[in-house]
Amino acid sequence: MPDEIKQLTHLKKLELQNNTLTELPSWIGDLKELEKLTLDNNQLSTLPKEVEKLKNLTYLGLGNNKLTKLFSGIGNLTCLKSLILEDNQLSTLPDSFKNLTHLTLLSIDHAKLNPEAGDIILTCFKDNPKLYLKHALNLWKAQPTLNPQEKENRQEAAQRITECVKTKSKQLDLSSLKLSSLPDIFHVLSHVENLDLCYNNLNTLPETMKTLTNLRKLFLINNTLTSLPSWIG
């Protein structure tokens, strides 16, 4: 990046996508009025910690780079509404990420996130049922140990769940999908009265199912359960 840019201290939008940038200069943090920074489709493997000084950022585009981690202070960018991280090499997220509670768009496709990173993302959206559902299902579908058939079955289950939430249907049929686990989304399904989980491979039921306060019928035929959880009584 040309050093002359650092003189533009009133800059609000900086678009640098589709270049071959391998690093950002530390003076990027001096552009304190920036609201939009677009860096997609470059060769960035790290970001300088000075980016956390850009407190007015509402949009940060980092898609299709070579990032393996984010700077620890990303949670200081509390005005962020849109964060694009898709097509990088991220497996972890800094703990401060959970402070990004104003996000309305998070694109992080094709990341192989560990479970802790997944939990951090869901913490961001705990008060936004729509985004929580989207990312909880995406994380559940993207588990790296799944074989192709399991991925297909989870995709089908996710579609059924999404439709159930969208239509506020009182019935949710997740039967005959050979599911070995269920996504942690039951608090957004409190309207469901009939839940069919027959013909799966479930050996346990998540405790969050107890939030299904309107449930009247629960079908669990042909699974691998050896006992019922205490909360079911």
Side-chain angles (χ1 to χ4, degrees), residues 41-63:
N41 302 313
N42 278 285
Q43 303 292 318
L44 299 171
S45 57
T46 60
L47 295 174
K49 64 179 182 179
E50 286 79 8
V51 174
E52 69 182 70
K53 297 178 181 178
L54 304 177
K55 301 291 181 66
N56 290 313
L57 274 186
T58 61
Y59 182 100
L60 179 57
L62 295 166

Side-chain angles (χ1 to χ4, degrees), residues 121-158:
I121 288 175
L122 296 184
T123 298
C124 290
F125 301 123
K126 63 182 180 181
D127 297 322
N128 188 323
K130 183 177 180 180
L131 289 177
Y132 183 99
L133 178 66
K134 173 185 174 181
H135 288 284
L137 291 176
N138 284 345
L139 290 165
W140 182 65
K141 291 185 299 179
Q143 291 180 6
T145 57
L146 299 176
N147 65 44
Q149 185 60 58
E150 288 173 325
K151 289 182 180 180
E152 183 178 332
N153 290 344
R154 289 196 180 194
Q155 177 66 33
E156 174 62 26

Side-chain angles (χ1 to χ4, degrees), residues 24-199:
L24 293 182
S26 60
W27 53 254
I28 192 74
D30 296 332
L31 304 179
K32 291 183 171 59
E33 294 188 23
L34 268 186
E35 296 176 0
K36 182 176 183 179
L37 177 58
T38 309
L39 295 161
D40 305 272
N41 302 313
N42 278 285
Q43 303 292 318
L44 299 171
S45 57
T46 60
L47 295 174
K49 64 179 182 179
E50 286 79 8
V51 174
E52 69 182 70
K53 297 178 181 178
L54 304 177
K55 301 291 181 66
N56 290 313
L57 274 186
T58 61
Y59 182 100
L60 179 57
L62 295 166
N64 195 24
N65 277 282
K66 297 182 178 181
L67 297 173
T68 57
K69 65 178 181 179
L70 298 177
F71 55 99
S72 61
I74 192 170
N76 293 326
L77 304 180
T78 53
C79 289
L80 268 185
K81 294 183 178 180
S82 300
L83 179 56
I84 312 302
L85 295 170
E86 62 189 21
D87 293 306
N88 277 283
Q89 300 167 26
L90 298 170
S91 61
T92 64
L93 295 174
D95 193 59
S96 70
F97 193 97
K98 64 181 65 172
N99 296 331
L100 302 179
T101 55
H102 290 101
L103 284 178
T104 56
L105 172 64
L106 172 62
S107 179
I108 197 166
D109 295 346
H110 308 130
K112 296 181 179 180
L113 299 176
N114 63 25
E116 291 78 13
D119 290 341
I120 288 172
I121 288 175
L122 296 184
T123 298
C124 290
F125 301 123
K126 63 182 180 181
D127 297 322
N128 188 323
K130 183 177 180 180
L131 289 177
Y132 183 99
L133 178 66
K134 173 185 174 181
H135 288 284
L137 291 176
N138 284 345
L139 290 165
W140 182 65
K141 291 185 299 179
Q143 291 180 6
T145 57
L146 299 176
N147 65 44
Q149 185 60 58
E150 288 173 325
K151 289 182 180 180
E152 183 178 332
N153 290 344
R154 289 196 180 194
Q155 177 66 33
E156 174 62 26
Q159 290 176 354
R160 295 184 190 182
I161 292 168
T162 302
E163 184 65 19
C164 177
V165 172
K166 180 180 179 181
T167 62
K168 292 292 183 182
S169 174
K170 295 181 179 180
Q171 301 186 48
L172 176 57
D173 181 3
L174 296 177
S175 65
S176 304
L177 293 173
K178 303 299 181 184
L179 301 175
S180 58
S181 70
L182 297 169
D184 185 14
I185 43 77
F186 290 101
H187 66 288
V188 299
L189 293 170
S190 58
H191 59 281
V192 170
E193 295 184 6
N194 300 330
L195 177 58
D196 190 346
L197 296 171
C198 295
Y199 298 96

